[in-house]
Amino acid sequence: MSVAQLPPLVVFGEALTDFVRTGEDGWRSIAGGACWNVARVAATLGVPTGWGGAVSEDLFGQEIVARSQAAGLDARFMQVVARPPLLAMVHQLHPPRYFFLGENSADLAFDPSRLPAGWQAACRIAHFGCISLVRQPLGARLLAIAGALHAAGVPVSFDPNCRALMGADYPPLFERLAALSSVLKISDEDLRHIYPVLDPDAALARVQALAPDAVLLYTRGGDGMTAYAHGRRIEQPAFAVPVADTVGAGDACIGGFLASRLLRPGADLAEHVRFAAATAAAACTRAGAHAPSRQEVERVLAL
């Protein structure tokens, strides 16, 4: 197997099934997971991508496998194991209220030794984030991978994507990953969760001090985003599109940014930021964590 055949982008983390309440006695299951969403977005946009994670053998895992295949994800990075699925029970949508069912679940069985030989040499960006980093022993394994890649000079991308599992002990872990990162996306909600006693400017300054050479994408939903890099500050408004829902918009944003960097390495940072914003907007035009095609993103860019 040659290095050239392996993907330049590898996304590590969870895939899961959301159970969304549809009424007093009704629920709807939806395949999801922040890191898996990022991988699907990048692959759908045309970047050869591996999703490094583990799923169950049952019908929930089978759906994730099928949708991964449809997105074109490299199957050599996915592991299917004989464990129960990771589930998120979303019992209220506005505002979101949820809890996780995942004791001894499939995601925790991810085994880095089963990854294809030579993947590190082919990897040009590796992405990490969300609840996978706080679910042990998975989190420790992923942190070790991130540290080894950083030491080898492979750029690390990180989106904390804070959820209910991130407690008061999370900020030190966030800061450890942030210090390894070449690309760091953080939302206004994440920033408040991690640094509740700091105002946004002070919190952003702290994050920038942790990773002074990183590209920092600070997203604010419908208020757009700001990119900081090497003394530059780029303001990118959100694109005005008909919104079906905003599920997965943040995942689409970072997925679009990484895809743009890999597809157009010579483009200016402002172009990558604009492409990321357009990818997030395109994702919002369809219900669920939609992975938009390149054509859908181009239509938004033409607005």
Side-chain angles (χ1 to χ4, degrees):
M1 183 188 301
S2 72
V3 167
Q5 295 174 311
L6 290 162
L9 175 62
V10 183
V11 180
F12 292 96
E14 78 284 348
L16 52 79
T17 299
D18 288 315
F19 270 78
V20 181
R21 195 170 191 176
T22 58
E24 186 172 343
D25 299 314
W27 297 82
R28 181 166 64 109
S29 67
I30 307 169
C35 296
W36 182 68
N37 289 338
V38 173
R40 285 192 305 118
V41 167
T44 303
L45 290 172
V47 175
T49 303
W51 172 70
V55 297
S56 57
E57 294 178 331
D58 57 27
L59 74 165
F60 301 118
Q62 291 168 14
E63 181 182 6
I64 292 169
V65 170
R67 294 190 63 184
S68 298
Q69 293 171 340
L73 291 174
D74 192 317
R76 293 170 292 182
F77 288 77
M78 178 185 294
Q79 300 171 11
V80 179
V81 298
R83 287 207 191 179
L86 174 60
L87 306 177
M89 308 302 295
V90 187
H91 55 90
Q92 179 179 304
L93 283 174
H94 305 293
R97 294 285 185 270
Y98 54 88
F99 59 91
F100 296 97
L101 300 177
E103 183 177 356
N104 198 38
S105 56
D107 60 308
L108 302 180
F110 175 69
D111 181 357
S113 70
R114 292 176 55 190
L115 292 171
W119 73 268
Q120 301 98 324
C123 186
R124 290 164 58 194
I125 301 178
H127 178 78
F128 301 82
C130 207
I131 65 171
S132 59
L133 297 169
V134 297
R135 287 179 50 75
Q136 301 303 339
L138 176 61
R141 293 170 185 162
L142 298 185
L143 188 61
I145 293 172
L149 290 171
H150 174 74
V154 177
V156 169
S157 169
F158 176 37
D159 179 2
N161 212 327
C162 290
R163 296 290 186 266
L165 292 181
M166 281 78 158
D169 59 345
Y170 179 69
L173 175 60
F174 164 79
E175 295 194 343
R176 186 173 176 184
L177 263 294
L180 299 177
S181 300
S182 296
V183 177
L184 176 57
K185 175 196 164 291
I186 189 166
S187 71
D188 50 357
E189 293 181 357
D190 293 335
L191 204 63
R192 288 193 296 270
H193 185 103
I194 297 165
Y195 299 116
V197 301
L198 297 180
D199 64 62
D201 288 341
L204 279 173
R206 182 178 180 109
V207 174
Q208 287 177 286
L210 292 167
D213 297 324
V215 175
L216 174 61
L217 303 176
Y218 177 50
T219 61
R220 302 180 303 281
D223 292 329
M225 72 171 132
T226 307
Y228 303 88
H230 313 299
R232 294 179 66 186
R233 173 174 174 155
I234 299 168
E235 295 292 345
Q236 174 61 54
F239 285 89
V241 295
V243 174
D245 70 34
T246 59
V247 174
D251 305 328
C253 177
I254 186 62
F257 182 81
L258 298 178
S260 184
R261 289 273 294 260
L262 290 167
L263 292 169
R264 305 179 300 162
D268 185 73
L269 176 61
E271 294 182 56
H272 298 314
V273 173
R274 188 166 183 267
F275 190 90
T279 306
C284 292
T285 62
R286 300 263 298 273
H290 175 54
S293 67
R294 185 71 179 266
Q295 292 73 24
E296 289 175 282
V297 176
E298 295 290 350
R299 284 197 292 269
V300 173
L301 286 168
L303 294 176

